[in-house]
Amino acid sequence: MIYHLMRIEEDLKLDFTDVLIRPKRSTLTSRSEVDIRREFTFLHSQKKYSGIPIIAANMDYVGTFEMARALAKHQLSTALLKHYDEESLVAFFQERDIRQQVFYSMGIAKDDYGKFCRVIDRVGDAIELICVDVANGYTKSFVDFIHKLRSAHPTFTIMAGNVVTGEMTEELVLGGVDIVKVGIGPGSVCTTRKMAGVGYPQLSAIIECADAAHGLGGLICSDGGCTTPGDLAKAFGGGADFIMLGGMLAGHEECSSEIIEQDGMHKVPFYGMSSRAAMNKHAGGVAQYRASEGKAVLLDYRGSVENTLQDILGGIRSACTYVGARRLKEFSKRTTFIRVSRQTNDVFGGS
């Protein structure tokens, strides 16, 4: 009989709160000189991308049609909520050419794939980007689905996850994924680390997965853990090609959420997609064999997303000027992280 022994990895792993970016000499005189757009040619689809590599998450009250329209004006992307019905999706994709800014999102269930095929049959090449979203990207069923999807649709750009380790990133890239989605448990309304004890510090996950993906010509998307513009700068500095945002984009008028008045303040709901609230809405409740791995919160209503976008994009440009990166492409090469205590980071305004 073979016994598999428990292991403890001793290597230090880091989150955004564990580091700051060290400034360097710079010839830039203004944030306006910084170009934060990126251009990529995706490994498998061979489609070209040009834009600001920030993606609204495919969550209730974030990955909405209204958010997609608003972000597309600024060359940002949106992964649509995967629970939209077929007719709504067809109408949206037929309304304008936004194929480079919008990901069609789906899970790996038979019904998800069937709906996707029906929508594709009706809208044709109006869809170029696909987000395959599961909580656990380590299952054989997920990997098999990716192989099936890539074989059936060789020209689509596929983003898929989530994973947090280099070896699984390599398997997904080799299996047909263009952008590997990285992050388990870092999201503001995700409780996987508490409920399952599973996860990985997000900055280290980015660094390790980016190294694995880039070695094969693939890309990664950091998903979760960003609560300030400085966190996005750290994610890009660690090697993320794209960043997916949920909580930072929630609470705006483009989120199509109900507005609740509480103690004279306007509030809006936001919850994780594995929360009880999400499963009650989309699956008729929490199945007996599982537990909720997300929470529901009320956020202050923040009006239009425009001001938030200005803060996010301005913060990234500012970070680039501090290290002398004229283009976002250069930023990770010029980034040096300094380890700090979390207490020090909090005192001096860290994330």
Side-chain angles (χ1 to χ4, degrees):
M1 183 179 293
I2 298 175
Y3 293 93
H4 295 281
L5 300 178
M6 175 274 294
R7 291 184 58 207
I8 296 178
E9 292 190 10
E10 302 284 356
D11 294 343
L12 180 69
K13 305 299 179 184
L14 300 170
D15 243 321
F16 296 134
T17 50
D18 297 316
V19 301
L20 291 170
I21 296 170
R22 191 180 75 184
K24 296 181 178 178
R25 287 178 58 87
S26 172
T27 58
L28 294 167
T29 59
S30 170
R31 293 171 178 82
S32 64
E33 298 176 39
V34 176
D35 182 2
I36 57 174
R37 293 172 300 166
R38 291 298 309 268
E39 294 183 354
F40 299 112
T41 299
F42 296 116
L43 175 64
H44 297 287
S45 71
Q46 287 298 296
K47 292 282 180 27
K48 296 186 183 300
Y49 166 88
S50 178
I52 296 174
I54 297 173
I55 306 170
N58 55 323
M59 303 172 71
D60 284 358
Y61 309 135
V62 179
T64 65
F65 295 146
E66 293 80 6
M67 185 67 75
R69 296 182 186 104
L71 297 195
K73 297 175 185 176
H74 299 275
Q75 295 185 285
L76 278 68
S77 302
T78 299
L80 293 175
L81 174 68
K82 62 185 177 184
H83 297 290
Y84 276 125
D85 63 72
E86 180 180 336
E87 294 303 322
S88 298
L89 288 164
V90 169
F92 174 76
F93 280 107
Q94 288 178 337
E95 75 177 40
R96 66 179 74 183
D97 185 6
I98 48 176
R99 69 188 74 187
Q100 279 207 343
Q101 278 82 39
V102 179
F103 287 80
Y104 179 102
S105 299
M106 63 177 164
I108 62 173
K110 183 178 180 180
D111 288 346
D112 293 324
Y113 187 66
K115 183 174 75 171
F116 167 71
C117 291
R118 293 192 299 273
V119 171
I120 289 297
D121 285 343
R122 296 176 64 181
V123 303
D125 61 0
I127 295 175
E128 290 186 358
L129 307 171
I130 305 170
C131 173
V132 183
D133 178 55
V134 298
N136 180 2
Y138 289 80
T139 65
K140 183 177 184 298
S141 57
F142 171 67
V143 175
D144 289 346
F145 182 85
I146 293 300
H147 290 163
K148 170 185 172 182
L149 183 65
R150 174 53 72 197
S151 177
H153 303 284
T155 63
F156 282 107
T157 299
I158 299 174
M159 174 169 66
N162 283 23
V163 301
V164 289
T165 53
E167 64 271 17
M168 201 65 204
T169 297
E170 290 173 344
E171 180 167 347
L172 292 179
V173 171
L174 293 171
V177 175
D178 296 290
I179 310 166
V180 177
K181 202 144 68 78
V182 173
I184 293 179
S188 61
V189 287
C190 180
T191 61
T192 295
R193 294 179 182 181
K194 291 181 179 180
M195 294 300 297
V198 175
Y200 210 94
Q202 187 66 1
L203 181 60
S204 286
I206 291 167
I207 293 169
E208 295 171 27
C209 293
D211 181 63
H214 295 167
L216 296 172
L219 303 171
I220 71 160
C221 175
S222 171
D223 179 17
C226 289
T227 60
T228 67
D231 290 340
L232 276 83
K234 293 172 187 178
F236 282 131
D241 304 292
F242 292 84
I243 297 175
M244 181 170 280
L245 298 179
M248 288 185 72
L249 295 177
H252 295 94
E253 66 181 45
E254 293 83 2
C255 295
S256 302
S257 54
E258 59 181 316
I259 299 176
I260 300 168
E261 189 165 337
Q262 186 179 82
D263 299 325
M265 302 287 291
H266 289 130
K267 303 280 187 177
V268 291
F270 178 55
Y271 47 76
M273 295 309 290
S274 291
S275 67
R276 185 174 300 276
M279 286 188 277
N280 284 342
K281 181 176 180 180
H282 300 297
V286 182
Q288 288 187 340
Y289 58 84
R290 64 175 298 171
S292 165
E293 293 182 22
K295 62 182 179 180
V297 297
L298 286 177
L299 304 177
D300 291 337
Y301 176 67
R302 297 194 277 171
S304 172
V305 76
E306 293 292 326
N307 290 336
T308 298
L309 291 180
Q310 183 175 351
D311 286 344
I312 291 171
L313 302 183
I316 296 169
R317 291 190 182 96
S318 182
C320 288
T321 64
Y322 272 107
V323 300
R326 196 170 294 273
R327 297 183 299 163
L328 184 58
K329 180 181 179 180
E330 305 165 6
F331 185 65
S332 64
K333 298 180 179 66
R334 297 188 60 83
T335 295
T336 300
F337 289 117
I338 307 166
R339 277 190 60 203
V340 296
S341 71
R342 296 195 178 197
Q343 182 180 4
T344 300
N345 206 4
D346 289 341
V347 168
F348 291 99
S351 52

